[in-house]
Amino acid sequence: MNLVFRYILIIACCFSTLHSYSQDPKKIRIEYSGFTVKDSLKGENITTFVRSDQAQIHVVHDGIDMWCDKAIYYQDEDFIEAFSDVVVKQGDTINMTSEYVEYSGITKMAFAAGDVVLKEPQSVLTTDTLYFDRTKQEAYYRTTGKVVRDSSGTITSQVGRYYMNEKKYRFLKDVVLVNPQYTLNTKQLDFYSDTGHSYMYGPSTIVGDSSKIYCERGFYDTNNDTGYFLKNSKINYNNREVVGDSLYFDRNRSFASATNNIVVTDTINNSIIKGHYAEVFRAKDSVFITKRALAITVQETDSIYIHADTLMITGKPEHRITRAFYNAKMYKSDMSGKADSIHADHKTGLTQFINIDRFSSTEAYATKRRPILWNLGNQMTGDSIHLISNVEKEELDSLKVFNNAFLISKDTIGGGFNQIKGQRLIGLFENNELYNLDIIKNAEIIFYSRNDKDSLIGINKSKSAKINMKFEEGYKIVTLFNQVDGEIYPESQFPENARKFRGFDWREEERPNSIEDLFSDDAPLELPIIKGLDDYTPEEEFFDEAMFKRMDTAREKDKDKINKAERNLPKSTKAIKAKRDAVKTHNLPKPLINKAKKGN
């Protein structure tokens, strides 16, 4: 072997030795010690350090710095205990203070106790005891903790975990977020400190001064005060409850929207609105709802149903107004109606059936859209119709038909039609049944007169200033006032083409006879697919197998009966590890571990 080759080999061996040394795990290093105390009773490789008047003890290990007033270092186990005003820093991301810390250089696990405060750039966590796994960069507490974030508020829980790389907290058990504007309670909350985003799992409530939100799955942006809620979600405010498959909420705008299977309940006015898309403006006391929109005024005897393309409910609780527009329909057991739009004042009991504005009264389409009411066998139409209810008694009181009033009823026996028309119609109700009608101004009548045996006497066609009709025990009594002309014609002498007034429009096929009929001419409903939140995925255990293996390594170097690296584990975790160790030592069946974890 020549000299040059031998020289290269020596250098290579040196580099190899240096490389091997650099791969060895870094040990805890005392950067500044103050006073050093050796106690032979404690052990040869155990050193106690006490701070000086100038500075605290400074301990360094693999990117972490720790300061304290007193420390005990177990050199063989690479384990240190720190006492009094302990400060732990990891770069510029973590700053933790406490009264006591123990740290293993082998497991890279820190246990802190006594007024623990963990600060990261966006929040501050305080608790009694805290576990900090530097390998996974996770912190964990199970003795009640509190996290404070300026823009979000204060969050408390019995159990919590902080994922430093994700800047995420997971709060479990009795979770409460207190903000000046609201309080959030939930079973589990995933909170991202850098964005303020919160994800709720399990029964959750958000209670503010004027609103209460409930859901079993939800998202809330604590920075912008907006939320998205799923699974049995509902919002209560101003004596209204909004329920839907999904809800969106914007606190700053006092706005909420709902999608699919929506029910809005007004507890003061005993009314319910249904549909599949809704917008709610709390500051304006208004609700906008569409997609098979249905308003229900709940009454003891007979509820009233209103359907239209769009419904809008406005006004304070004591004076709500319902507006139904575009192809509006109304149904109750003894009365139904249609109009281009319906306006219902819940305080006064006035319901208006309003004609379409963009068509003239002479156009055929406008005639078809003319407001119409059906009561028993009577059909009433006009340019507009007012239906007045007694709010206290929850009964119909009267109705008024303005301009081009037209009343049609089918003859009881034959195929003809009784007809009365005039400028205006006024009707009176008793027990929700129409018992009196007055047709006023330019009144005309075609009436099939029958005797007690229902035999046709003749057909009465007359003109009068006013016509009164009374309904008594199945009979119609017609009285003409200031008759101008008219007479009763035998049926054979009354031409077919004269048996209907001009403008006659029998619309029985349009009459809603049930709640389902209100939707008879609606387009097929296609509900949007709601994009849900990501499914909850359980995280790995904080005290997992990887951590147990590191503790096994620490035990190999710990000559004491109790392994320092695991002595402060929770009791339940110690039990799991003990059974796990038994499996490894005695080759017990693996299901024992699974049962132990399940039982925990």
PDB file of all heavy atoms in Angstrom, residues 160-193:
ATOM      1  N   GLY A 160     -58.296  18.937  25.353  1.00  0.00           N
ATOM      2  CA  GLY A 160     -57.904  19.697  24.169  1.00  0.00           C
ATOM      3  C   GLY A 160     -56.595  19.211  23.586  1.00  0.00           C
ATOM      4  O   GLY A 160     -55.768  18.600  24.277  1.00  0.00           O
ATOM      5  N   ARG A 161     -56.425  19.504  22.317  1.00  0.00           N
ATOM      6  CA  ARG A 161     -55.207  19.090  21.615  1.00  0.00           C
ATOM      7  C   ARG A 161     -54.840  20.168  20.612  1.00  0.00           C
ATOM      8  O   ARG A 161     -55.720  20.710  19.920  1.00  0.00           O
ATOM      9  CB  ARG A 161     -55.463  17.761  20.915  1.00  0.00           C
ATOM     10  CG  ARG A 161     -54.233  17.080  20.350  1.00  0.00           C
ATOM     11  CD  ARG A 161     -54.589  15.647  20.046  1.00  0.00           C
ATOM     12  NE  ARG A 161     -53.577  14.919  19.296  1.00  0.00           N
ATOM     13  CZ  ARG A 161     -53.682  13.633  18.972  1.00  0.00           C
ATOM     14  NH1 ARG A 161     -54.746  12.946  19.327  1.00  0.00           N
ATOM     15  NH2 ARG A 161     -52.727  13.044  18.287  1.00  0.00           N
ATOM     16  N   TYR A 162     -53.567  20.490  20.535  1.00  0.00           N
ATOM     17  CA  TYR A 162     -53.101  21.520  19.604  1.00  0.00           C
ATOM     18  C   TYR A 162     -52.106  20.907  18.629  1.00  0.00           C
ATOM     19  O   TYR A 162     -51.101  20.311  19.034  1.00  0.00           O
ATOM     20  CB  TYR A 162     -52.452  22.679  20.363  1.00  0.00           C
ATOM     21  CG  TYR A 162     -51.911  23.761  19.454  1.00  0.00           C
ATOM     22  CD1 TYR A 162     -52.741  24.382  18.512  1.00  0.00           C
ATOM     23  CD2 TYR A 162     -50.581  24.160  19.518  1.00  0.00           C
ATOM     24  CE1 TYR A 162     -52.250  25.369  17.669  1.00  0.00           C
ATOM     25  CE2 TYR A 162     -50.086  25.151  18.678  1.00  0.00           C
ATOM     26  CZ  TYR A 162     -50.926  25.744  17.757  1.00  0.00           C
ATOM     27  OH  TYR A 162     -50.450  26.715  16.914  1.00  0.00           O
ATOM     28  N   TYR A 163     -52.417  21.047  17.327  1.00  0.00           N
ATOM     29  CA  TYR A 163     -51.556  20.550  16.255  1.00  0.00           C
ATOM     30  C   TYR A 163     -50.755  21.737  15.731  1.00  0.00           C
ATOM     31  O   TYR A 163     -51.297  22.593  15.014  1.00  0.00           O
ATOM     32  CB  TYR A 163     -52.387  19.940  15.132  1.00  0.00           C
ATOM     33  CG  TYR A 163     -53.290  18.808  15.576  1.00  0.00           C
ATOM     34  CD1 TYR A 163     -54.499  19.064  16.207  1.00  0.00           C
ATOM     35  CD2 TYR A 163     -52.946  17.482  15.350  1.00  0.00           C
ATOM     36  CE1 TYR A 163     -55.338  18.037  16.608  1.00  0.00           C
ATOM     37  CE2 TYR A 163     -53.775  16.443  15.743  1.00  0.00           C
ATOM     38  CZ  TYR A 163     -54.977  16.730  16.374  1.00  0.00           C
ATOM     39  OH  TYR A 163     -55.794  15.710  16.770  1.00  0.00           O
ATOM     40  N   MET A 164     -49.496  21.810  16.071  1.00  0.00           N
ATOM     41  CA  MET A 164     -48.711  23.014  15.796  1.00  0.00           C
ATOM     42  C   MET A 164     -48.466  23.231  14.306  1.00  0.00           C
ATOM     43  O   MET A 164     -48.482  24.363  13.834  1.00  0.00           O
ATOM     44  CB  MET A 164     -47.388  22.946  16.551  1.00  0.00           C
ATOM     45  CG  MET A 164     -47.604  22.943  18.056  1.00  0.00           C
ATOM     46  SD  MET A 164     -46.109  22.698  18.992  1.00  0.00           S
ATOM     47  CE  MET A 164     -46.803  22.478  20.644  1.00  0.00           C
ATOM     48  N   ASN A 165     -48.239  22.152  13.571  1.00  0.00           N
ATOM     49  CA  ASN A 165     -47.977  22.313  12.138  1.00  0.00           C
ATOM     50  C   ASN A 165     -49.219  22.830  11.405  1.00  0.00           C
ATOM     51  O   ASN A 165     -49.111  23.612  10.465  1.00  0.00           O
ATOM     52  CB  ASN A 165     -47.530  20.975  11.537  1.00  0.00           C
ATOM     53  CG  ASN A 165     -46.174  20.539  12.060  1.00  0.00           C
ATOM     54  OD1 ASN A 165     -45.346  21.373  12.423  1.00  0.00           O
ATOM     55  ND2 ASN A 165     -45.941  19.229  12.131  1.00  0.00           N
ATOM     56  N   GLU A 166     -50.402  22.377  11.829  1.00  0.00           N
ATOM     57  CA  GLU A 166     -51.654  22.805  11.192  1.00  0.00           C
ATOM     58  C   GLU A 166     -52.251  24.041  11.843  1.00  0.00           C
ATOM     59  O   GLU A 166     -53.229  24.597  11.357  1.00  0.00           O
ATOM     60  CB  GLU A 166     -52.680  21.670  11.252  1.00  0.00           C
ATOM     61  CG  GLU A 166     -52.248  20.394  10.567  1.00  0.00           C
ATOM     62  CD  GLU A 166     -53.262  19.282  10.779  1.00  0.00           C
ATOM     63  OE1 GLU A 166     -54.467  19.524  10.568  1.00  0.00           O
ATOM     64  OE2 GLU A 166     -52.856  18.177  11.175  1.00  0.00           O
ATOM     65  N   LYS A 167     -51.685  24.457  12.987  1.00  0.00           N
ATOM     66  CA  LYS A 167     -52.235  25.561  13.777  1.00  0.00           C
ATOM     67  C   LYS A 167     -53.713  25.306  14.075  1.00  0.00           C
ATOM     68  O   LYS A 167     -54.567  26.168  13.883  1.00  0.00           O
ATOM     69  CB  LYS A 167     -52.039  26.894  13.048  1.00  0.00           C
ATOM     70  CG  LYS A 167     -50.587  27.267  12.859  1.00  0.00           C
ATOM     71  CD  LYS A 167     -50.414  28.619  12.196  1.00  0.00           C
ATOM     72  CE  LYS A 167     -48.932  28.955  12.049  1.00  0.00           C
ATOM     73  NZ  LYS A 167     -48.732  30.249  11.367  1.00  0.00           N
ATOM     74  N   LYS A 168     -53.951  24.104  14.539  1.00  0.00           N
ATOM     75  CA  LYS A 168     -55.323  23.645  14.768  1.00  0.00           C
ATOM     76  C   LYS A 168     -55.480  23.153  16.204  1.00  0.00           C
ATOM     77  O   LYS A 168     -54.634  22.433  16.722  1.00  0.00           O
ATOM     78  CB  LYS A 168     -55.654  22.524  13.790  1.00  0.00           C
ATOM     79  CG  LYS A 168     -56.892  21.718  14.114  1.00  0.00           C
ATOM     80  CD  LYS A 168     -56.996  20.506  13.214  1.00  0.00           C
ATOM     81  CE  LYS A 168     -58.046  19.524  13.691  1.00  0.00           C
ATOM     82  NZ  LYS A 168     -58.096  18.318  12.838  1.00  0.00           N
ATOM     83  N   TYR A 169     -56.611  23.560  16.819  1.00  0.00           N
ATOM     84  CA  TYR A 169     -56.999  23.033  18.115  1.00  0.00           C
ATOM     85  C   TYR A 169     -58.161  22.051  17.921  1.00  0.00           C
ATOM     86  O   TYR A 169     -59.031  22.281  17.084  1.00  0.00           O
ATOM     87  CB  TYR A 169     -57.477  24.143  19.050  1.00  0.00           C
ATOM     88  CG  TYR A 169     -56.391  25.019  19.607  1.00  0.00           C
ATOM     89  CD1 TYR A 169     -56.038  26.213  18.993  1.00  0.00           C
ATOM     90  CD2 TYR A 169     -55.733  24.670  20.784  1.00  0.00           C
ATOM     91  CE1 TYR A 169     -55.056  27.034  19.512  1.00  0.00           C
ATOM     92  CE2 TYR A 169     -54.736  25.493  21.323  1.00  0.00           C
ATOM     93  CZ  TYR A 169     -54.409  26.667  20.674  1.00  0.00           C
ATOM     94  OH  TYR A 169     -53.436  27.482  21.204  1.00  0.00           O
ATOM     95  N   ARG A 170     -58.157  21.001  18.699  1.00  0.00           N
ATOM     96  CA  ARG A 170     -59.342  20.140  18.776  1.00  0.00           C
ATOM     97  C   ARG A 170     -59.794  20.130  20.230  1.00  0.00           C
ATOM     98  O   ARG A 170     -59.081  19.642  21.114  1.00  0.00           O
ATOM     99  CB  ARG A 170     -59.041  18.730  18.293  1.00  0.00           C
ATOM    100  CG  ARG A 170     -60.200  17.756  18.551  1.00  0.00           C
ATOM    101  CD  ARG A 170     -60.118  16.533  17.670  1.00  0.00           C
ATOM    102  NE  ARG A 170     -60.494  16.876  16.301  1.00  0.00           N
ATOM    103  CZ  ARG A 170     -60.479  16.009  15.281  1.00  0.00           C
ATOM    104  NH1 ARG A 170     -60.107  14.759  15.492  1.00  0.00           N
ATOM    105  NH2 ARG A 170     -60.834  16.387  14.079  1.00  0.00           N
ATOM    106  N   PHE A 171     -60.984  20.706  20.475  1.00  0.00           N
ATOM    107  CA  PHE A 171     -61.538  20.783  21.820  1.00  0.00           C
ATOM    108  C   PHE A 171     -62.611  19.708  21.989  1.00  0.00           C
ATOM    109  O   PHE A 171     -63.469  19.533  21.123  1.00  0.00           O
ATOM    110  CB  PHE A 171     -62.154  22.164  22.062  1.00  0.00           C
ATOM    111  CG  PHE A 171     -61.180  23.294  21.918  1.00  0.00           C
ATOM    112  CD1 PHE A 171     -61.128  24.043  20.753  1.00  0.00           C
ATOM    113  CD2 PHE A 171     -60.310  23.620  22.945  1.00  0.00           C
ATOM    114  CE1 PHE A 171     -60.236  25.094  20.607  1.00  0.00           C
ATOM    115  CE2 PHE A 171     -59.407  24.663  22.811  1.00  0.00           C
ATOM    116  CZ  PHE A 171     -59.368  25.404  21.647  1.00  0.00           C
ATOM    117  N   LEU A 172     -62.580  19.019  23.123  1.00  0.00           N
ATOM    118  CA  LEU A 172     -63.531  17.948  23.396  1.00  0.00           C
ATOM    119  C   LEU A 172     -64.132  18.116  24.785  1.00  0.00           C
ATOM    120  O   LEU A 172     -63.459  18.583  25.706  1.00  0.00           O
ATOM    121  CB  LEU A 172     -62.841  16.579  23.315  1.00  0.00           C
ATOM    122  CG  LEU A 172     -62.177  16.193  21.979  1.00  0.00           C
ATOM    123  CD1 LEU A 172     -61.323  14.955  22.162  1.00  0.00           C
ATOM    124  CD2 LEU A 172     -63.224  15.963  20.909  1.00  0.00           C
ATOM    125  N   LYS A 173     -65.391  17.753  24.901  1.00  0.00           N
ATOM    126  CA  LYS A 173     -66.101  17.670  26.179  1.00  0.00           C
ATOM    127  C   LYS A 173     -66.341  19.051  26.794  1.00  0.00           C
ATOM    128  O   LYS A 173     -65.402  19.755  27.162  1.00  0.00           O
ATOM    129  CB  LYS A 173     -65.328  16.773  27.162  1.00  0.00           C
ATOM    130  CG  LYS A 173     -66.167  16.296  28.329  1.00  0.00           C
ATOM    131  CD  LYS A 173     -65.386  15.320  29.188  1.00  0.00           C
ATOM    132  CE  LYS A 173     -66.228  14.842  30.353  1.00  0.00           C
ATOM    133  NZ  LYS A 173     -65.505  13.927  31.251  1.00  0.00           N
ATOM    134  N   ASP A 174     -67.626  19.417  26.881  1.00  0.00           N
ATOM    135  CA  ASP A 174     -68.042  20.699  27.489  1.00  0.00           C
ATOM    136  C   ASP A 174     -67.323  21.888  26.848  1.00  0.00           C
ATOM    137  O   ASP A 174     -66.759  22.751  27.538  1.00  0.00           O
ATOM    138  CB  ASP A 174     -67.795  20.706  28.999  1.00  0.00           C
ATOM    139  CG  ASP A 174     -68.528  19.588  29.712  1.00  0.00           C
ATOM    140  OD1 ASP A 174     -69.615  19.214  29.237  1.00  0.00           O
ATOM    141  OD2 ASP A 174     -68.032  19.092  30.734  1.00  0.00           O
ATOM    142  N   VAL A 175     -67.360  21.951  25.526  1.00  0.00           N
ATOM    143  CA  VAL A 175     -66.663  23.020  24.802  1.00  0.00           C
ATOM    144  C   VAL A 175     -67.529  24.281  24.787  1.00  0.00           C
ATOM    145  O   VAL A 175     -68.708  24.230  24.417  1.00  0.00           O
ATOM    146  CB  VAL A 175     -66.344  22.595  23.355  1.00  0.00           C
ATOM    147  CG1 VAL A 175     -65.521  23.671  22.660  1.00  0.00           C
ATOM    148  CG2 VAL A 175     -65.610  21.256  23.342  1.00  0.00           C
ATOM    149  N   VAL A 176     -66.949  25.402  25.195  1.00  0.00           N
ATOM    150  CA  VAL A 176     -67.667  26.682  25.221  1.00  0.00           C
ATOM    151  C   VAL A 176     -66.776  27.760  24.619  1.00  0.00           C
ATOM    152  O   VAL A 176     -65.636  27.948  25.062  1.00  0.00           O
ATOM    153  CB  VAL A 176     -68.073  27.092  26.653  1.00  0.00           C
ATOM    154  CG1 VAL A 176     -68.849  28.414  26.621  1.00  0.00           C
ATOM    155  CG2 VAL A 176     -68.902  26.004  27.320  1.00  0.00           C
ATOM    156  N   LEU A 177     -67.298  28.444  23.584  1.00  0.00           N
ATOM    157  CA  LEU A 177     -66.607  29.604  23.008  1.00  0.00           C
ATOM    158  C   LEU A 177     -67.411  30.844  23.379  1.00  0.00           C
ATOM    159  O   LEU A 177     -68.582  30.956  23.016  1.00  0.00           O
ATOM    160  CB  LEU A 177     -66.485  29.474  21.494  1.00  0.00           C
ATOM    161  CG  LEU A 177     -65.619  30.501  20.751  1.00  0.00           C
ATOM    162  CD1 LEU A 177     -65.191  29.951  19.392  1.00  0.00           C
ATOM    163  CD2 LEU A 177     -66.343  31.827  20.524  1.00  0.00           C
ATOM    164  N   VAL A 178     -66.792  31.759  24.114  1.00  0.00           N
ATOM    165  CA  VAL A 178     -67.477  32.978  24.548  1.00  0.00           C
ATOM    166  C   VAL A 178     -66.911  34.166  23.779  1.00  0.00           C
ATOM    167  O   VAL A 178     -65.717  34.435  23.825  1.00  0.00           O
ATOM    168  CB  VAL A 178     -67.323  33.203  26.065  1.00  0.00           C
ATOM    169  CG1 VAL A 178     -68.006  34.496  26.480  1.00  0.00           C
ATOM    170  CG2 VAL A 178     -67.907  32.023  26.840  1.00  0.00           C
ATOM    171  N   ASN A 179     -67.806  34.843  23.065  1.00  0.00           N
ATOM    172  CA  ASN A 179     -67.478  36.025  22.283  1.00  0.00           C
ATOM    173  C   ASN A 179     -68.394  37.147  22.775  1.00  0.00           C
ATOM    174  O   ASN A 179     -69.494  36.869  23.253  1.00  0.00           O
ATOM    175  CB  ASN A 179     -67.722  35.725  20.793  1.00  0.00           C
ATOM    176  CG  ASN A 179     -67.398  36.882  19.881  1.00  0.00           C
ATOM    177  OD1 ASN A 179     -68.164  37.831  19.781  1.00  0.00           O
ATOM    178  ND2 ASN A 179     -66.268  36.809  19.202  1.00  0.00           N
ATOM    179  N   PRO A 180     -67.987  38.419  22.703  1.00  0.00           N
ATOM    180  CA  PRO A 180     -68.884  39.495  23.158  1.00  0.00           C
ATOM    181  C   PRO A 180     -70.258  39.468  22.501  1.00  0.00           C
ATOM    182  O   PRO A 180     -71.238  39.939  23.089  1.00  0.00           O
ATOM    183  CB  PRO A 180     -68.111  40.773  22.769  1.00  0.00           C
ATOM    184  CG  PRO A 180     -66.682  40.359  22.771  1.00  0.00           C
ATOM    185  CD  PRO A 180     -66.670  38.943  22.288  1.00  0.00           C
ATOM    186  N   GLN A 181     -70.364  38.892  21.284  1.00  0.00           N
ATOM    187  CA  GLN A 181     -71.643  38.891  20.581  1.00  0.00           C
ATOM    188  C   GLN A 181     -72.419  37.585  20.715  1.00  0.00           C
ATOM    189  O   GLN A 181     -73.612  37.552  20.443  1.00  0.00           O
ATOM    190  CB  GLN A 181     -71.417  39.188  19.098  1.00  0.00           C
ATOM    191  CG  GLN A 181     -70.940  40.605  18.824  1.00  0.00           C
ATOM    192  CD  GLN A 181     -70.850  40.870  17.327  1.00  0.00           C
ATOM    193  OE1 GLN A 181     -70.093  40.221  16.612  1.00  0.00           O
ATOM    194  NE2 GLN A 181     -71.632  41.817  16.859  1.00  0.00           N
ATOM    195  N   TYR A 182     -71.760  36.510  21.121  1.00  0.00           N
ATOM    196  CA  TYR A 182     -72.461  35.228  21.177  1.00  0.00           C
ATOM    197  C   TYR A 182     -71.684  34.240  22.044  1.00  0.00           C
ATOM    198  O   TYR A 182     -70.521  34.466  22.390  1.00  0.00           O
ATOM    199  CB  TYR A 182     -72.637  34.633  19.771  1.00  0.00           C
ATOM    200  CG  TYR A 182     -71.333  34.395  19.045  1.00  0.00           C
ATOM    201  CD1 TYR A 182     -70.618  33.203  19.195  1.00  0.00           C
ATOM    202  CD2 TYR A 182     -70.789  35.373  18.213  1.00  0.00           C
ATOM    203  CE1 TYR A 182     -69.412  32.996  18.548  1.00  0.00           C
ATOM    204  CE2 TYR A 182     -69.571  35.165  17.570  1.00  0.00           C
ATOM    205  CZ  TYR A 182     -68.899  33.981  17.743  1.00  0.00           C
ATOM    206  OH  TYR A 182     -67.694  33.772  17.111  1.00  0.00           O
ATOM    207  N   THR A 183     -72.342  33.135  22.379  1.00  0.00           N
ATOM    208  CA  THR A 183     -71.708  32.028  23.093  1.00  0.00           C
ATOM    209  C   THR A 183     -71.971  30.743  22.322  1.00  0.00           C
ATOM    210  O   THR A 183     -73.114  30.435  21.984  1.00  0.00           O
ATOM    211  CB  THR A 183     -72.263  31.896  24.521  1.00  0.00           C
ATOM    212  OG1 THR A 183     -72.000  33.103  25.243  1.00  0.00           O
ATOM    213  CG2 THR A 183     -71.610  30.729  25.253  1.00  0.00           C
ATOM    214  N   LEU A 184     -70.903  30.008  22.052  1.00  0.00           N
ATOM    215  CA  LEU A 184     -71.011  28.750  21.302  1.00  0.00           C
ATOM    216  C   LEU A 184     -70.762  27.581  22.252  1.00  0.00           C
ATOM    217  O   LEU A 184     -69.770  27.560  22.983  1.00  0.00           O
ATOM    218  CB  LEU A 184     -69.997  28.741  20.159  1.00  0.00           C
ATOM    219  CG  LEU A 184     -69.992  27.566  19.185  1.00  0.00           C
ATOM    220  CD1 LEU A 184     -69.393  28.004  17.840  1.00  0.00           C
ATOM    221  CD2 LEU A 184     -69.184  26.366  19.705  1.00  0.00           C
ATOM    222  N   ASN A 185     -71.682  26.619  22.261  1.00  0.00           N
ATOM    223  CA  ASN A 185     -71.517  25.386  23.035  1.00  0.00           C
ATOM    224  C   ASN A 185     -71.559  24.198  22.081  1.00  0.00           C
ATOM    225  O   ASN A 185     -72.437  24.138  21.212  1.00  0.00           O
ATOM    226  CB  ASN A 185     -72.642  25.230  24.071  1.00  0.00           C
ATOM    227  CG  ASN A 185     -72.523  26.208  25.217  1.00  0.00           C
ATOM    228  OD1 ASN A 185     -71.961  25.906  26.251  1.00  0.00           O
ATOM    229  ND2 ASN A 185     -73.067  27.406  25.014  1.00  0.00           N
ATOM    230  N   THR A 186     -70.649  23.261  22.248  1.00  0.00           N
ATOM    231  CA  THR A 186     -70.647  22.106  21.359  1.00  0.00           C
ATOM    232  C   THR A 186     -69.974  20.922  22.049  1.00  0.00           C
ATOM    233  O   THR A 186     -69.333  21.074  23.105  1.00  0.00           O
ATOM    234  CB  THR A 186     -69.927  22.429  20.034  1.00  0.00           C
ATOM    235  OG1 THR A 186     -70.043  21.316  19.143  1.00  0.00           O
ATOM    236  CG2 THR A 186     -68.458  22.735  20.263  1.00  0.00           C
ATOM    237  N   LYS A 187     -70.113  19.766  21.439  1.00  0.00           N
ATOM    238  CA  LYS A 187     -69.486  18.550  21.957  1.00  0.00           C
ATOM    239  C   LYS A 187     -68.034  18.484  21.527  1.00  0.00           C
ATOM    240  O   LYS A 187     -67.169  18.069  22.281  1.00  0.00           O
ATOM    241  CB  LYS A 187     -70.252  17.329  21.447  1.00  0.00           C
ATOM    242  CG  LYS A 187     -69.765  16.009  21.992  1.00  0.00           C
ATOM    243  CD  LYS A 187     -70.620  14.868  21.473  1.00  0.00           C
ATOM    244  CE  LYS A 187     -70.132  13.517  22.015  1.00  0.00           C
ATOM    245  NZ  LYS A 187     -70.957  12.397  21.478  1.00  0.00           N
ATOM    246  N   GLN A 188     -67.774  18.900  20.292  1.00  0.00           N
ATOM    247  CA  GLN A 188     -66.406  18.908  19.765  1.00  0.00           C
ATOM    248  C   GLN A 188     -66.236  20.088  18.822  1.00  0.00           C
ATOM    249  O   GLN A 188     -67.102  20.377  18.005  1.00  0.00           O
ATOM    250  CB  GLN A 188     -66.099  17.608  19.015  1.00  0.00           C
ATOM    251  CG  GLN A 188     -64.723  17.618  18.348  1.00  0.00           C
ATOM    252  CD  GLN A 188     -64.406  16.332  17.621  1.00  0.00           C
ATOM    253  OE1 GLN A 188     -64.754  15.261  18.089  1.00  0.00           O
ATOM    254  NE2 GLN A 188     -63.755  16.433  16.480  1.00  0.00           N
ATOM    255  N   LEU A 189     -65.103  20.758  18.947  1.00  0.00           N
ATOM    256  CA  LEU A 189     -64.814  21.920  18.110  1.00  0.00           C
ATOM    257  C   LEU A 189     -63.397  21.813  17.572  1.00  0.00           C
ATOM    258  O   LEU A 189     -62.442  21.691  18.336  1.00  0.00           O
ATOM    259  CB  LEU A 189     -64.963  23.209  18.926  1.00  0.00           C
ATOM    260  CG  LEU A 189     -64.754  24.522  18.164  1.00  0.00           C
ATOM    261  CD1 LEU A 189     -65.927  24.775  17.231  1.00  0.00           C
ATOM    262  CD2 LEU A 189     -64.595  25.686  19.129  1.00  0.00           C
ATOM    263  N   ASP A 190     -63.263  21.844  16.242  1.00  0.00           N
ATOM    264  CA  ASP A 190     -61.953  21.948  15.601  1.00  0.00           C
ATOM    265  C   ASP A 190     -61.752  23.410  15.230  1.00  0.00           C
ATOM    266  O   ASP A 190     -62.524  23.969  14.446  1.00  0.00           O
ATOM    267  CB  ASP A 190     -61.887  21.070  14.349  1.00  0.00           C
ATOM    268  CG  ASP A 190     -61.755  19.592  14.692  1.00  0.00           C
ATOM    269  OD1 ASP A 190     -61.730  19.264  15.893  1.00  0.00           O
ATOM    270  OD2 ASP A 190     -61.695  18.766  13.771  1.00  0.00           O
ATOM    271  N   PHE A 191     -60.723  24.023  15.781  1.00  0.00           N
ATOM    272  CA  PHE A 191     -60.515  25.460  15.627  1.00  0.00           C
ATOM    273  C   PHE A 191     -59.131  25.724  15.059  1.00  0.00           C
ATOM    274  O   PHE A 191     -58.124  25.245  15.601  1.00  0.00           O
ATOM    275  CB  PHE A 191     -60.667  26.153  16.992  1.00  0.00           C
ATOM    276  CG  PHE A 191     -60.434  27.634  16.965  1.00  0.00           C
ATOM    277  CD1 PHE A 191     -61.416  28.490  16.492  1.00  0.00           C
ATOM    278  CD2 PHE A 191     -59.234  28.175  17.413  1.00  0.00           C
ATOM    279  CE1 PHE A 191     -61.199  29.859  16.473  1.00  0.00           C
ATOM    280  CE2 PHE A 191     -59.018  29.537  17.389  1.00  0.00           C
ATOM    281  CZ  PHE A 191     -60.006  30.376  16.910  1.00  0.00           C
ATOM    282  N   TYR A 192     -59.082  26.491  13.949  1.00  0.00           N
ATOM    283  CA  TYR A 192     -57.819  26.845  13.307  1.00  0.00           C
ATOM    284  C   TYR A 192     -57.451  28.264  13.730  1.00  0.00           C
ATOM    285  O   TYR A 192     -58.131  29.230  13.373  1.00  0.00           O
ATOM    286  CB  TYR A 192     -57.940  26.735  11.792  1.00  0.00           C
ATOM    287  CG  TYR A 192     -58.093  25.303  11.324  1.00  0.00           C
ATOM    288  CD1 TYR A 192     -59.336  24.671  11.338  1.00  0.00           C
ATOM    289  CD2 TYR A 192     -56.991  24.571  10.904  1.00  0.00           C
ATOM    290  CE1 TYR A 192     -59.485  23.344  10.936  1.00  0.00           C
ATOM    291  CE2 TYR A 192     -57.125  23.249  10.494  1.00  0.00           C
ATOM    292  CZ  TYR A 192     -58.374  22.647  10.514  1.00  0.00           C
ATOM    293  OH  TYR A 192     -58.504  21.340  10.115  1.00  0.00           O
ATOM    294  N   SER A 193     -56.378  28.378  14.474  1.00  0.00           N
ATOM    295  CA  SER A 193     -56.056  29.667  15.098  1.00  0.00           C
ATOM    296  C   SER A 193     -55.633  30.728  14.094  1.00  0.00           C
ATOM    297  O   SER A 193     -55.828  31.920  14.332  1.00  0.00           O
ATOM    298  CB  SER A 193     -54.958  29.480  16.149  1.00  0.00           C
ATOM    299  OG  SER A 193     -53.781  28.954  15.559  1.00  0.00           O
TER     300      SER A 193
END
